[in-house]
């Protein structure tokens, strides 16, 4: 890798080169990142401290919130800091590490969202067997499988990229290091690598999409024979998940299952799945879920009560 590449660092062009706009972006994205960290940590603390939220759905939600926090933390702090500096540089090693992190946590999130759809399908369509099918052991292995799947996907993308020679230019038209921008900077023909990269991402997206669609088709077919009250209750538990899937899968699919031609367009879309969706996930799951809101209120009352007791 060292011998093949003369480039030791890259310059990130970011979202805008306008100084005034960058100051506005600094305040805005710092606020967004604080919401991401606070919101997802609140869900993790609420789920882990509440005895009522011990079902597989909340087990997966806890890990989804953790992955969301890690996912945004790979790109957001660097992007926010770069709004305040003129030269937005990142070392070659740092760039590759960021590339690995983005694909590792991003792919893990896709797998966890897919597992959550399967969980909802079992809970609604086979309620009597739910506790025996979705044991804590099974759920743990599903989460482990999601982490392993994310690692394998990310290591493939990273190894393919690090084998390429980079001899200049070194300006990346993006706010973080990703596969497509780096492929355009490589001083060799990247057509074959580009096809493998798209096929790798496309295969994962396609498999997960088929599982997601199949799960919800099975749910809809099952609900035809249920009462209107039963349908509403079942669909209300799926509403939050469907919303998150659309917000995350849509932009990711647009970016990664096609050869990139417009990086300016790509980085604007990337904001949605690296910042906006992780920020909205806690709001979506809490605003639509009475159990989570109730657990948060109890957690707050317990905290306030303990503080009053100390006083």
């Amino acid at each position: 890798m060292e011998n093949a590449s003369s480039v030791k660092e890259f310059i990130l062009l970011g979202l805008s080169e306008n100084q005034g706009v960058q100051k506005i972006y600094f305040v805005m994205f710092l606020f967004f990142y604080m919401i991401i960290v606070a919101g997802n940590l609140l869900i993790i603390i609420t789920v882990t401290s509440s005895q009522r939220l011990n079902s597989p759905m909340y087990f997966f939600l806890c890990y989804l919130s953790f992955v969301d926090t890690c996912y945004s933390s790979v790109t957001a702090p660097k992007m926010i800091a770069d709004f305040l500096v003129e030269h937005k540089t990142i070392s070659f090693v740092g760039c590759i590490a960021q590339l690995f992190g983005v694909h590792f946590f991003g792919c893990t999130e896709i797998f966890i969202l897919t597992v959550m759809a399967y969980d909802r399908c079992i809970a609604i369509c086979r309620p009597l067997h739910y506790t025996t099918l979705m044991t804590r052991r099974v759920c743990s292995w599903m989460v482990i499988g999601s982490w392993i799947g994310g690692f394998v996907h990310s290591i493939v993308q990273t190894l393919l990229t690090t084998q390429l020679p980079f001899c200049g230019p070194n300006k990346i038209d993006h706010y973080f290091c990703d596969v497509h921008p780096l492929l355009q900077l490589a001083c060799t023909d990247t057509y074959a690598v580009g096809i493998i990269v798209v096929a790798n991402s496309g295969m994962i997206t396609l498999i997960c999409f088929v599982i997601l669609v199949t799960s919800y088709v099975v749910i809809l077919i099952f609900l035809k024979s249920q009462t209107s009250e039963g349908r509403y209750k079942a669909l209300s538990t799926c509403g939050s998940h469907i919303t998150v899937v659309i917000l995350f899968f849509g932009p990711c699919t647009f970016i990664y299952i096609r050869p990139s031609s417009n990086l300016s367009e790509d980085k604007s879309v990337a904001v949605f799945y690296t910042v906006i969706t992780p920020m909205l996930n806690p709001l979506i799951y809490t605003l639509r879920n009475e159990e989570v809101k109730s657990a948060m209120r109890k957690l707050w009352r317990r905290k306030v009560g303990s503080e009053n007791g100390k006083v």
Side-chain angles (χ1 to χ4, degrees):
M1 184 172 69
E2 291 290 332
N3 295 332
S5 299
S6 59
V7 171
K8 302 302 178 186
E9 67 176 19
F10 293 100
I11 298 172
L12 297 168
L13 298 183
L15 290 174
S16 174
E17 295 183 56
N18 184 297
Q19 292 295 322
V21 173
Q22 287 188 51
K23 290 177 182 177
I24 296 171
Y25 280 168
F26 170 78
V27 176
M28 184 172 68
F29 283 100
L30 178 61
F31 177 68
F32 287 167
Y33 183 63
M34 290 170 65
I35 293 176
I36 290 169
V37 175
N40 284 293
L41 284 180
L42 180 60
I43 286 184
I44 293 170
I45 293 170
T46 302
V47 172
T48 53
S49 62
S50 175
Q51 294 181 345
R52 292 184 60 188
L53 304 180
N54 60 356
S55 68
M57 179 174 73
Y58 298 113
F59 177 77
F60 294 131
L61 177 59
C62 189
Y63 277 97
L64 179 67
S65 296
F66 176 73
V67 172
D68 268 338
T69 305
C70 295
Y71 187 41
S72 288
S73 297
V74 173
T75 59
K78 171 66 177 168
M79 174 181 66
I80 293 166
D82 282 346
F83 287 136
L84 299 178
V85 298
E86 185 177 350
H87 300 291
K88 304 169 178 58
T89 60
I90 184 170
S91 67
F92 185 88
V93 174
C95 185
I96 297 303
Q98 193 176 57
L99 167 67
F100 176 85
V102 166
H103 284 268
F104 176 47
F105 292 114
C107 189
T108 302
E109 177 153 349
I110 287 176
F111 285 133
I112 290 178
L113 287 171
T114 306
V115 165
M116 290 175 77
Y118 174 77
D119 170 68
R120 290 299 82 209
C121 182
I122 299 296
I124 293 169
C125 301
R126 303 192 66 183
L128 298 178
H129 301 91
Y130 181 63
T131 54
T132 56
L133 290 172
M134 298 297 291
T135 62
R136 185 51 63 97
R137 181 184 177 87
V138 171
C139 294
S140 298
W141 276 111
M142 285 182 170
V143 170
I144 292 170
S146 298
W147 285 109
I148 293 173
F151 177 81
V152 172
H153 163 76
S154 184
I155 205 71
V156 170
Q157 304 289 77
T158 304
L159 288 177
L160 285 171
T161 307
T162 54
Q163 298 307 308
L164 298 172
F166 296 95
C167 44
N170 66 339
K171 291 185 177 180
I172 299 176
D173 189 14
H174 215 301
Y175 62 90
F176 68 90
C177 292
D178 204 358
V179 173
H180 293 310
L182 287 172
L183 289 182
Q184 293 197 6
L185 293 183
C187 48
T188 186
D189 182 20
T190 60
Y191 178 78
V193 175
I195 293 296
I196 297 171
V197 164
V198 172
N200 182 21
S201 300
M203 180 180 66
I204 290 171
T205 304
L206 180 62
I207 292 172
C208 291
F209 181 75
V210 168
I211 295 173
L212 283 163
V213 171
T214 302
S215 297
Y216 281 109
V217 167
V218 171
I219 289 172
L220 290 174
I221 292 173
F222 176 80
L223 291 178
K224 279 186 176 181
S225 60
Q226 303 300 304
T227 62
S228 58
E229 184 182 349
R231 282 197 295 269
Y232 175 78
K233 186 177 179 181
L235 290 174
S236 65
T237 64
C238 300
S240 300
H241 183 258
I242 293 172
T243 305
V244 171
V245 166
I246 292 171
L247 287 173
F248 190 79
F249 258 77
C252 279
T253 302
F254 176 80
I255 296 293
Y256 292 112
I257 69 168
R258 64 177 179 83
S260 182
S261 57
N262 189 334
L263 293 181
S264 297
E265 188 179 68
D266 284 5
K267 66 183 178 183
S268 299
V269 175
V271 171
F272 280 90
Y273 60 83
T274 59
V275 178
I276 304 300
T277 302
M279 179 182 67
L280 292 178
N281 281 1
L283 297 174
I284 292 169
Y285 277 106
T286 54
L287 291 176
R288 296 179 58 91
N289 193 306
E290 286 299 328
E291 285 186 316
V292 175
K293 286 192 286 187
S294 176
M296 285 182 176
R297 284 192 291 267
K298 286 183 179 179
L299 182 65
W300 176 255
R301 285 197 295 266
R302 194 187 313 160
K303 180 177 174 58
V304 173
S306 62
E307 288 180 353
N308 291 337
K310 289 178 182 178
V311 175

